[in-house]
Amino acid sequence: MIVFSKVNKWYGEYQALADVNAEVKKGEVVVVCGPSGSGKSTLIRTVNRLEEIQGGQILYNGHDVYGVDANLNSLRSRVGFVFQNFNLFPHMSVLDNIMLAPLKLKGLNTSYVKNKALELLDMVGMSHKANAYPNQLSGGQQQRVAIARALAMEPPAMLFDEPTSALDPEMVGEVLSVMKSLAKEGMTMMCVTHEMNFAREVADKVWFMDAGKILETSDPETFFQNPTHPRAQSFIRDIRG
Amino acid sequence: MFANVIDILSQYWELFLIGQYPHGPLGGLVNTLILASLALIIAFPLSVLLAIARTSPFGIFRHPVTVWVYVMRGIPLIMIIFWTYFLVPSLIGRNIGGFTTMLCTLVLYQSAYLCEIVRGGLQSLPAGQVEASRALGLGYFRTMFFILLPQALYNSIPSLISQFISIIKETSLGYIINAQEMTFAANQVNNQLLVKPFEVYFILAVTYYILCFGLTQLAQWFERRIEKKRQGSDLLAT
């Protein structure tokens, strides 16, 4: 579904991604973890080209994301992306936030799109706030709406860039449970997160990154019990305290 | 003094209001309003386009507008009025009236200032807004019109209103090129009376003040309406 081959990215002199090779298979949930500045967010942002790369290739659902003939907008509309800071549109109601892309990009009729949006809101437990504006919602509520918005285009895969990092601790659970139910339904997911319990429970694969490289890819069991790479071993020790 | 003011008003109100019309050209307050409204109606949308160009990733759109803004900002308005007044007829080969000259000048000059206000509004929006919109698959123009401009223009309302007000006041400079408007009319009244300049120009000042105050109130009402819409509608949902 998402294939990274020899992906390289520099910010000037600084190499953010170094020869990244990896694959997210259809229906798989991959959790990307690692210390700050290891390139996790940069990596996930290359999938829908919010970051440019200087070398290598990324295939999304068979399409070359950085190919010269890539139709960027149509490609992006088929990738669900959830941001750390939610980035809801503050001048639109919750419902309008979700309906915007399907209305403008798919040309479907309003009542159909609205019913679909209400279903999504129901799924994330936010239908009672359909007509509220983002600034009237808590962080956890905003993030759940943002997930619904990303799902509205019915993308085959969802990307989560630290979806719970900007949340108060008591709101993390509600967002994670939405993500868990998505995973259960068989959604292909790539998540950058520090929530190790989520990784342990839900992930099929854990990718450990440091200094722009993927150092270890293993199933969560192996990663948390017997990490092979020394850097991953010290990371596990540190998060256990 | 107030007796004098009322006296002048009762005698010359028609001249203040519509100039010499119907015996001569339309002028006075009515023409000031028409001039200011037209200038605003043309300059504002133009300034939005200029602001889009000025924030464009393409130098070919960005650079000319940047030059334009710098030139307009760096030259006194009256100089631009003179230029338009003397230059344009020699370019197009026929005379243009004071009103048209003043309208063109105001549009040119104010669109540059308004452009900078709109640009400020656009650039102060968090980068996440563009990213979220683009990540949904909305292109550059859809992002601009559905996401960025509605927020940027709303946030810029206070500065935009100040600029709209200065459009109203700057129409008075039309006087120097014989554009028929309120200041011109006041001056005609003053020339007939000769001995009551303070009263005449007091009437003029109060009229401008009321116009600008009215515009401010209208803007505040508009702003409150948008705010209310964004605050209250979840009550309908629950």
mmCIF file of all heavy atoms in Angstrom, chain A residues 190-233:
data_model
loop_
_atom_site.group_PDB
_atom_site.id
_atom_site.type_symbol
_atom_site.label_atom_id
_atom_site.label_comp_id
_atom_site.label_asym_id
_atom_site.label_seq_id
_atom_site.Cartn_x
_atom_site.Cartn_y
_atom_site.Cartn_z
ATOM 1 N N MET A 190 -0.839 4.197 9.302
ATOM 2 C CA MET A 190 0.538 4.461 9.672
ATOM 3 C C MET A 190 0.477 5.572 10.724
ATOM 4 O O MET A 190 -0.054 6.646 10.463
ATOM 5 C CB MET A 190 1.318 4.923 8.433
ATOM 6 C CG MET A 190 2.771 5.261 8.689
ATOM 7 S SD MET A 190 3.617 5.571 7.109
ATOM 8 C CE MET A 190 5.169 6.216 7.714
ATOM 9 N N CYS A 191 0.956 5.274 11.925
ATOM 10 C CA CYS A 191 0.817 6.232 13.017
ATOM 11 C C CYS A 191 2.167 6.570 13.633
ATOM 12 O O CYS A 191 2.888 5.667 14.067
ATOM 13 C CB CYS A 191 -0.046 5.684 14.154
ATOM 14 S SG CYS A 191 -1.472 4.764 13.643
ATOM 15 N N VAL A 192 2.464 7.867 13.667
ATOM 16 C CA VAL A 192 3.592 8.315 14.469
ATOM 17 C C VAL A 192 3.019 8.613 15.845
ATOM 18 O O VAL A 192 2.105 9.431 15.971
ATOM 19 C CB VAL A 192 4.214 9.592 13.882
ATOM 20 C CG1 VAL A 192 5.273 10.143 14.823
ATOM 21 C CG2 VAL A 192 4.804 9.316 12.518
ATOM 22 N N THR A 193 3.498 7.927 16.858
ATOM 23 C CA THR A 193 2.922 8.176 18.183
ATOM 24 C C THR A 193 3.878 7.785 19.292
ATOM 25 O O THR A 193 4.794 6.982 19.099
ATOM 26 C CB THR A 193 1.581 7.433 18.363
ATOM 27 O OG1 THR A 193 1.042 7.737 19.636
ATOM 28 C CG2 THR A 193 1.750 5.926 18.254
ATOM 29 N N HIS A 194 3.680 8.414 20.441
ATOM 30 C CA HIS A 194 4.454 8.042 21.629
ATOM 31 C C HIS A 194 3.635 7.145 22.547
ATOM 32 O O HIS A 194 4.067 6.823 23.649
ATOM 33 C CB HIS A 194 4.887 9.299 22.396
ATOM 34 C CG HIS A 194 5.781 10.187 21.599
ATOM 35 N ND1 HIS A 194 7.070 9.828 21.274
ATOM 36 C CD2 HIS A 194 5.576 11.406 21.039
ATOM 37 C CE1 HIS A 194 7.614 10.803 20.559
ATOM 38 N NE2 HIS A 194 6.726 11.767 20.402
ATOM 39 N N GLU A 195 2.419 6.777 22.095
ATOM 40 C CA GLU A 195 1.562 5.954 22.938
ATOM 41 C C GLU A 195 1.963 4.492 22.788
ATOM 42 O O GLU A 195 1.506 3.780 21.900
ATOM 43 C CB GLU A 195 0.090 6.142 22.538
ATOM 44 C CG GLU A 195 -0.423 7.552 22.702
ATOM 45 C CD GLU A 195 -0.421 7.994 24.158
ATOM 46 O OE1 GLU A 195 -0.583 7.124 25.044
ATOM 47 O OE2 GLU A 195 -0.233 9.202 24.406
ATOM 48 N N MET A 196 2.821 4.036 23.672
ATOM 49 C CA MET A 196 3.371 2.688 23.525
ATOM 50 C C MET A 196 2.332 1.603 23.802
ATOM 51 O O MET A 196 2.389 0.519 23.239
ATOM 52 C CB MET A 196 4.593 2.509 24.432
ATOM 53 C CG MET A 196 5.790 3.318 23.947
ATOM 54 S SD MET A 196 6.198 2.918 22.218
ATOM 55 C CE MET A 196 6.344 4.539 21.498
ATOM 56 N N ASN A 197 1.348 1.929 24.658
ATOM 57 C CA ASN A 197 0.288 0.950 24.898
ATOM 58 C C ASN A 197 -0.537 0.722 23.633
ATOM 59 O O ASN A 197 -0.939 -0.398 23.341
ATOM 60 C CB ASN A 197 -0.627 1.405 26.024
ATOM 61 C CG ASN A 197 0.052 1.235 27.366
ATOM 62 O OD1 ASN A 197 0.846 0.310 27.532
ATOM 63 N ND2 ASN A 197 -0.236 2.128 28.292
ATOM 64 N N PHE A 198 -0.762 1.804 22.908
ATOM 65 C CA PHE A 198 -1.484 1.689 21.637
ATOM 66 C C PHE A 198 -0.695 0.796 20.685
ATOM 67 O O PHE A 198 -1.248 -0.095 20.047
ATOM 68 C CB PHE A 198 -1.695 3.085 21.037
ATOM 69 C CG PHE A 198 -2.330 3.078 19.675
ATOM 70 C CD1 PHE A 198 -3.702 2.915 19.538
ATOM 71 C CD2 PHE A 198 -1.563 3.232 18.531
ATOM 72 C CE1 PHE A 198 -4.298 2.905 18.292
ATOM 73 C CE2 PHE A 198 -2.152 3.221 17.272
ATOM 74 C CZ PHE A 198 -3.522 3.058 17.154
ATOM 75 N N ALA A 199 0.614 1.034 20.637
ATOM 76 C CA ALA A 199 1.470 0.238 19.760
ATOM 77 C C ALA A 199 1.379 -1.243 20.138
ATOM 78 O O ALA A 199 1.235 -2.118 19.284
ATOM 79 C CB ALA A 199 2.912 0.721 19.846
ATOM 80 N N ARG A 200 1.460 -1.496 21.433
ATOM 81 C CA ARG A 200 1.457 -2.883 21.901
ATOM 82 C C ARG A 200 0.138 -3.587 21.564
ATOM 83 O O ARG A 200 0.110 -4.722 21.132
ATOM 84 C CB ARG A 200 1.678 -2.880 23.420
ATOM 85 C CG ARG A 200 2.283 -4.160 23.944
ATOM 86 C CD ARG A 200 2.707 -3.992 25.388
ATOM 87 N NE ARG A 200 3.895 -3.152 25.514
ATOM 88 C CZ ARG A 200 4.129 -2.359 26.568
ATOM 89 N NH1 ARG A 200 3.271 -2.271 27.539
ATOM 90 N NH2 ARG A 200 5.231 -1.641 26.623
ATOM 91 N N GLU A 201 -0.968 -2.839 21.754
ATOM 92 C CA GLU A 201 -2.281 -3.465 21.568
ATOM 93 C C GLU A 201 -2.697 -3.588 20.116
ATOM 94 O O GLU A 201 -3.310 -4.581 19.724
ATOM 95 C CB GLU A 201 -3.362 -2.615 22.260
ATOM 96 C CG GLU A 201 -3.582 -2.920 23.719
ATOM 97 C CD GLU A 201 -4.671 -1.998 24.251
ATOM 98 O OE1 GLU A 201 -5.795 -2.046 23.710
ATOM 99 O OE2 GLU A 201 -4.387 -1.222 25.184
ATOM 100 N N VAL A 202 -2.424 -2.569 19.332
ATOM 101 C CA VAL A 202 -3.059 -2.457 18.018
ATOM 102 C C VAL A 202 -2.110 -2.719 16.852
ATOM 103 O O VAL A 202 -2.517 -3.233 15.816
ATOM 104 C CB VAL A 202 -3.704 -1.056 17.859
ATOM 105 C CG1 VAL A 202 -4.428 -0.940 16.528
ATOM 106 C CG2 VAL A 202 -4.669 -0.782 19.002
ATOM 107 N N ALA A 203 -0.847 -2.369 17.025
ATOM 108 C CA ALA A 203 0.053 -2.390 15.866
ATOM 109 C C ALA A 203 0.344 -3.807 15.380
ATOM 110 O O ALA A 203 0.380 -4.760 16.155
ATOM 111 C CB ALA A 203 1.365 -1.700 16.226
ATOM 112 N N ASP A 204 0.498 -3.909 14.050
ATOM 113 C CA ASP A 204 0.991 -5.163 13.481
ATOM 114 C C ASP A 204 2.505 -5.096 13.393
ATOM 115 O O ASP A 204 3.194 -6.098 13.477
ATOM 116 C CB ASP A 204 0.414 -5.362 12.069
ATOM 117 C CG ASP A 204 -1.094 -5.496 12.114
ATOM 118 O OD1 ASP A 204 -1.589 -6.383 12.821
ATOM 119 O OD2 ASP A 204 -1.783 -4.665 11.473
ATOM 120 N N LYS A 205 3.011 -3.879 13.163
ATOM 121 C CA LYS A 205 4.455 -3.668 13.044
ATOM 122 C C LYS A 205 4.837 -2.401 13.792
ATOM 123 O O LYS A 205 4.075 -1.436 13.834
ATOM 124 C CB LYS A 205 4.831 -3.478 11.563
ATOM 125 C CG LYS A 205 4.908 -4.769 10.773
ATOM 126 C CD LYS A 205 6.319 -5.343 10.812
ATOM 127 C CE LYS A 205 6.365 -6.853 10.597
ATOM 128 N NZ LYS A 205 5.668 -7.275 9.388
ATOM 129 N N VAL A 206 6.014 -2.419 14.397
ATOM 130 C CA VAL A 206 6.567 -1.200 14.966
ATOM 131 C C VAL A 206 7.841 -0.866 14.205
ATOM 132 O O VAL A 206 8.684 -1.741 14.004
ATOM 133 C CB VAL A 206 6.884 -1.379 16.469
ATOM 134 C CG1 VAL A 206 7.555 -0.129 17.017
ATOM 135 C CG2 VAL A 206 5.621 -1.675 17.262
ATOM 136 N N TRP A 207 7.913 0.371 13.728
ATOM 137 C CA TRP A 207 9.160 0.832 13.099
ATOM 138 C C TRP A 207 9.845 1.730 14.098
ATOM 139 O O TRP A 207 9.258 2.705 14.587
ATOM 140 C CB TRP A 207 8.884 1.634 11.824
ATOM 141 C CG TRP A 207 8.221 0.871 10.720
ATOM 142 C CD1 TRP A 207 7.881 -0.448 10.702
ATOM 143 C CD2 TRP A 207 7.795 1.415 9.464
ATOM 144 N NE1 TRP A 207 7.274 -0.780 9.539
ATOM 145 C CE2 TRP A 207 7.213 0.338 8.742
ATOM 146 C CE3 TRP A 207 7.863 2.673 8.871
ATOM 147 C CZ2 TRP A 207 6.689 0.505 7.458
ATOM 148 C CZ3 TRP A 207 7.345 2.847 7.609
ATOM 149 C CH2 TRP A 207 6.758 1.771 6.903
ATOM 150 N N PHE A 208 11.123 1.420 14.377
ATOM 151 C CA PHE A 208 11.870 2.295 15.278
ATOM 152 C C PHE A 208 12.840 3.139 14.459
ATOM 153 O O PHE A 208 13.650 2.615 13.694
ATOM 154 C CB PHE A 208 12.639 1.467 16.309
ATOM 155 C CG PHE A 208 13.484 2.313 17.216
ATOM 156 C CD1 PHE A 208 12.905 3.023 18.246
ATOM 157 C CD2 PHE A 208 14.861 2.409 17.017
ATOM 158 C CE1 PHE A 208 13.682 3.833 19.076
ATOM 159 C CE2 PHE A 208 15.633 3.219 17.841
ATOM 160 C CZ PHE A 208 15.044 3.929 18.874
ATOM 161 N N MET A 209 12.733 4.456 14.626
ATOM 162 C CA MET A 209 13.593 5.357 13.848
ATOM 163 C C MET A 209 14.545 6.125 14.734
ATOM 164 O O MET A 209 14.223 6.490 15.860
ATOM 165 C CB MET A 209 12.738 6.385 13.079
ATOM 166 C CG MET A 209 12.002 5.810 11.892
ATOM 167 S SD MET A 209 11.211 7.129 10.926
ATOM 168 C CE MET A 209 12.624 7.807 10.043
ATOM 169 N N ASP A 210 15.734 6.365 14.206
ATOM 170 C CA ASP A 210 16.655 7.303 14.844
ATOM 171 C C ASP A 210 17.542 7.910 13.762
ATOM 172 O O ASP A 210 17.965 7.205 12.841
ATOM 173 C CB ASP A 210 17.499 6.589 15.911
ATOM 174 C CG ASP A 210 18.276 7.589 16.768
ATOM 175 O OD1 ASP A 210 17.771 8.715 16.966
ATOM 176 O OD2 ASP A 210 19.379 7.241 17.211
ATOM 177 N N ALA A 211 17.797 9.211 13.886
ATOM 178 C CA ALA A 211 18.662 9.934 12.952
ATOM 179 C C ALA A 211 18.318 9.666 11.482
ATOM 180 O O ALA A 211 19.196 9.463 10.653
ATOM 181 C CB ALA A 211 20.132 9.577 13.221
ATOM 182 N N GLY A 212 17.004 9.680 11.191
ATOM 183 C CA GLY A 212 16.573 9.581 9.796
ATOM 184 C C GLY A 212 16.602 8.178 9.216
ATOM 185 O O GLY A 212 16.391 7.998 8.020
ATOM 186 N N LYS A 213 16.904 7.186 10.053
ATOM 187 C CA LYS A 213 16.947 5.802 9.557
ATOM 188 C C LYS A 213 15.922 4.954 10.311
ATOM 189 O O LYS A 213 15.661 5.182 11.490
ATOM 190 C CB LYS A 213 18.323 5.188 9.806
ATOM 191 C CG LYS A 213 19.431 5.755 8.945
ATOM 192 C CD LYS A 213 20.666 4.857 9.084
ATOM 193 C CE LYS A 213 21.831 5.403 8.275
ATOM 194 N NZ LYS A 213 22.482 6.537 8.982
ATOM 195 N N ILE A 214 15.370 3.960 9.607
ATOM 196 C CA ILE A 214 14.566 2.961 10.309
ATOM 197 C C ILE A 214 15.535 1.889 10.788
ATOM 198 O O ILE A 214 16.158 1.189 9.983
ATOM 199 C CB ILE A 214 13.485 2.358 9.394
ATOM 200 C CG1 ILE A 214 12.485 3.443 8.983
ATOM 201 C CG2 ILE A 214 12.749 1.236 10.129
ATOM 202 C CD1 ILE A 214 11.346 2.947 8.121
ATOM 203 N N LEU A 215 15.692 1.782 12.108
ATOM 204 C CA LEU A 215 16.694 0.865 12.649
ATOM 205 C C LEU A 215 16.115 -0.523 12.899
ATOM 206 O O LEU A 215 16.828 -1.507 12.917
ATOM 207 C CB LEU A 215 17.265 1.418 13.966
ATOM 208 C CG LEU A 215 18.000 2.756 13.854
ATOM 209 C CD1 LEU A 215 18.545 3.161 15.195
ATOM 210 C CD2 LEU A 215 19.117 2.695 12.811
ATOM 211 N N GLU A 216 14.815 -0.551 13.118
ATOM 212 C CA GLU A 216 14.235 -1.841 13.454
ATOM 213 C C GLU A 216 12.778 -1.883 13.016
ATOM 214 O O GLU A 216 12.026 -0.936 13.238
ATOM 215 C CB GLU A 216 14.324 -2.042 14.976
ATOM 216 C CG GLU A 216 13.775 -3.362 15.419
ATOM 217 C CD GLU A 216 14.398 -3.832 16.724
ATOM 218 O OE1 GLU A 216 15.426 -3.285 17.145
ATOM 219 O OE2 GLU A 216 13.855 -4.770 17.307
ATOM 220 N N THR A 217 12.384 -2.946 12.366
ATOM 221 C CA THR A 217 10.966 -3.166 12.091
ATOM 222 C C THR A 217 10.625 -4.550 12.608
ATOM 223 O O THR A 217 11.165 -5.543 12.141
ATOM 224 C CB THR A 217 10.638 -3.118 10.581
ATOM 225 O OG1 THR A 217 11.343 -4.156 9.925
ATOM 226 C CG2 THR A 217 11.001 -1.808 9.958
ATOM 227 N N SER A 218 9.747 -4.586 13.587
ATOM 228 C CA SER A 218 9.370 -5.900 14.109
ATOM 229 C C SER A 218 7.952 -5.848 14.636
ATOM 230 O O SER A 218 7.351 -4.776 14.707
ATOM 231 C CB SER A 218 10.339 -6.312 15.222
ATOM 232 O OG SER A 218 10.624 -5.215 16.053
ATOM 233 N N ASP A 219 7.419 -6.992 14.997
ATOM 234 C CA ASP A 219 6.094 -6.983 15.603
ATOM 235 C C ASP A 219 6.229 -6.437 17.028
ATOM 236 O O ASP A 219 7.313 -6.489 17.617
ATOM 237 C CB ASP A 219 5.480 -8.379 15.590
ATOM 238 C CG ASP A 219 6.364 -9.378 16.268
ATOM 239 O OD1 ASP A 219 7.339 -9.828 15.590
ATOM 240 O OD2 ASP A 219 6.143 -9.673 17.450
ATOM 241 N N PRO A 220 5.145 -5.884 17.574
ATOM 242 C CA PRO A 220 5.247 -5.195 18.867
ATOM 243 C C PRO A 220 5.804 -6.071 19.986
ATOM 244 O O PRO A 220 6.622 -5.601 20.788
ATOM 245 C CB PRO A 220 3.807 -4.783 19.171
ATOM 246 C CG PRO A 220 2.981 -5.166 18.034
ATOM 247 C CD PRO A 220 3.812 -5.782 16.988
ATOM 248 N N GLU A 221 5.380 -7.321 20.011
ATOM 249 C CA GLU A 221 5.862 -8.258 21.026
ATOM 250 C C GLU A 221 7.389 -8.266 21.074
ATOM 251 O O GLU A 221 8.010 -7.980 22.103
ATOM 252 C CB GLU A 221 5.338 -9.665 20.674
ATOM 253 C CG GLU A 221 5.709 -10.740 21.661
ATOM 254 C CD GLU A 221 4.621 -10.911 22.702
ATOM 255 O OE1 GLU A 221 3.615 -10.163 22.649
ATOM 256 O OE2 GLU A 221 4.776 -11.784 23.555
ATOM 257 N N THR A 222 8.002 -8.553 19.927
ATOM 258 C CA THR A 222 9.460 -8.619 19.827
ATOM 259 C C THR A 222 10.087 -7.270 20.163
ATOM 260 O O THR A 222 11.080 -7.193 20.882
ATOM 261 C CB THR A 222 9.880 -9.013 18.389
ATOM 262 O OG1 THR A 222 8.964 -9.976 17.910
ATOM 263 C CG2 THR A 222 11.291 -9.536 18.353
ATOM 264 N N PHE A 223 9.473 -6.191 19.627
ATOM 265 C CA PHE A 223 10.067 -4.879 19.824
ATOM 266 C C PHE A 223 10.131 -4.510 21.304
ATOM 267 O O PHE A 223 11.147 -4.006 21.778
ATOM 268 C CB PHE A 223 9.282 -3.808 19.047
ATOM 269 C CG PHE A 223 9.821 -2.425 19.244
ATOM 270 C CD1 PHE A 223 11.021 -2.043 18.645
ATOM 271 C CD2 PHE A 223 9.157 -1.497 20.041
ATOM 272 C CE1 PHE A 223 11.539 -0.780 18.830
ATOM 273 C CE2 PHE A 223 9.673 -0.223 20.229
ATOM 274 C CZ PHE A 223 10.867 0.138 19.617
ATOM 275 N N PHE A 224 9.050 -4.776 22.020
ATOM 276 C CA PHE A 224 9.051 -4.361 23.430
ATOM 277 C C PHE A 224 9.802 -5.339 24.333
ATOM 278 O O PHE A 224 10.345 -4.941 25.346
ATOM 279 C CB PHE A 224 7.615 -4.160 23.920
ATOM 280 C CG PHE A 224 6.976 -2.924 23.347
ATOM 281 C CD1 PHE A 224 5.972 -3.023 22.389
ATOM 282 C CD2 PHE A 224 7.405 -1.665 23.742
ATOM 283 C CE1 PHE A 224 5.401 -1.882 21.841
ATOM 284 C CE2 PHE A 224 6.833 -0.516 23.194
ATOM 285 C CZ PHE A 224 5.834 -0.626 22.237
ATOM 286 N N GLN A 225 9.825 -6.641 23.977
ATOM 287 C CA GLN A 225 10.522 -7.613 24.821
ATOM 288 C C GLN A 225 12.000 -7.746 24.463
ATOM 289 O O GLN A 225 12.864 -7.688 25.335
ATOM 290 C CB GLN A 225 9.849 -9.000 24.721
ATOM 291 C CG GLN A 225 8.377 -9.030 25.108
ATOM 292 C CD GLN A 225 8.106 -8.437 26.484
ATOM 293 O OE1 GLN A 225 8.932 -8.560 27.389
ATOM 294 N NE2 GLN A 225 6.957 -7.769 26.635
ATOM 295 N N ASN A 226 12.277 -7.949 23.167
ATOM 296 C CA ASN A 226 13.656 -8.208 22.758
ATOM 297 C C ASN A 226 14.086 -7.349 21.580
ATOM 298 O O ASN A 226 14.317 -7.858 20.489
ATOM 299 C CB ASN A 226 13.817 -9.667 22.311
ATOM 300 C CG ASN A 226 13.529 -10.616 23.426
ATOM 301 O OD1 ASN A 226 14.123 -10.506 24.494
ATOM 302 N ND2 ASN A 226 12.612 -11.531 23.175
ATOM 303 N N PRO A 227 14.185 -6.033 21.792
ATOM 304 C CA PRO A 227 14.639 -5.225 20.656
ATOM 305 C C PRO A 227 16.081 -5.612 20.296
ATOM 306 O O PRO A 227 16.874 -5.897 21.187
ATOM 307 C CB PRO A 227 14.560 -3.797 21.186
ATOM 308 C CG PRO A 227 14.558 -3.911 22.659
ATOM 309 C CD PRO A 227 13.990 -5.248 23.007
ATOM 310 N N THR A 228 16.369 -5.673 18.999
ATOM 311 C CA THR A 228 17.694 -6.122 18.591
ATOM 312 C C THR A 228 18.711 -4.982 18.545
ATOM 313 O O THR A 228 19.840 -5.126 18.991
ATOM 314 C CB THR A 228 17.643 -6.791 17.199
ATOM 315 O OG1 THR A 228 16.795 -6.011 16.374
ATOM 316 C CG2 THR A 228 17.112 -8.210 17.303
ATOM 317 N N HIS A 229 18.288 -3.844 17.998
ATOM 318 C CA HIS A 229 19.246 -2.749 17.845
ATOM 319 C C HIS A 229 19.536 -2.095 19.197
ATOM 320 O O HIS A 229 18.622 -1.834 19.977
ATOM 321 C CB HIS A 229 18.687 -1.721 16.863
ATOM 322 C CG HIS A 229 19.725 -0.800 16.315
ATOM 323 N ND1 HIS A 229 20.206 0.264 17.024
ATOM 324 C CD2 HIS A 229 20.404 -0.811 15.137
ATOM 325 C CE1 HIS A 229 21.128 0.888 16.290
ATOM 326 N NE2 HIS A 229 21.260 0.249 15.147
ATOM 327 N N PRO A 230 20.816 -1.821 19.485
ATOM 328 C CA PRO A 230 21.178 -1.226 20.780
ATOM 329 C C PRO A 230 20.444 0.085 21.066
ATOM 330 O O PRO A 230 20.034 0.368 22.202
ATOM 331 C CB PRO A 230 22.683 -0.975 20.674
ATOM 332 C CG PRO A 230 23.159 -1.616 19.430
ATOM 333 C CD PRO A 230 21.999 -2.117 18.652
ATOM 334 N N ARG A 231 20.250 0.901 19.986
ATOM 335 C CA ARG A 231 19.570 2.191 20.158
ATOM 336 C C ARG A 231 18.108 1.947 20.590
ATOM 337 O O ARG A 231 17.568 2.661 21.426
ATOM 338 C CB ARG A 231 19.639 2.981 18.848
ATOM 339 C CG ARG A 231 19.145 4.388 18.924
ATOM 340 C CD ARG A 231 20.046 5.243 19.809
ATOM 341 N NE ARG A 231 19.410 6.540 20.072
ATOM 342 C CZ ARG A 231 18.522 6.751 21.038
ATOM 343 N NH1 ARG A 231 18.163 5.750 21.835
ATOM 344 N NH2 ARG A 231 18.006 7.949 21.230
ATOM 345 N N ALA A 232 17.489 0.920 20.006
ATOM 346 C CA ALA A 232 16.114 0.564 20.372
ATOM 347 C C ALA A 232 16.077 0.024 21.799
ATOM 348 O O ALA A 232 15.143 0.321 22.560
ATOM 349 C CB ALA A 232 15.548 -0.460 19.396
ATOM 350 N N GLN A 233 17.091 -0.723 22.185
ATOM 351 C CA GLN A 233 17.148 -1.250 23.555
ATOM 352 C C GLN A 233 17.165 -0.121 24.580
ATOM 353 O O GLN A 233 16.433 -0.133 25.562
ATOM 354 C CB GLN A 233 18.385 -2.142 23.728
ATOM 355 C CG GLN A 233 18.238 -3.491 23.037
ATOM 356 C CD GLN A 233 19.560 -4.229 22.891
ATOM 357 O OE1 GLN A 233 20.625 -3.722 23.279
ATOM 358 N NE2 GLN A 233 19.497 -5.428 22.337
#
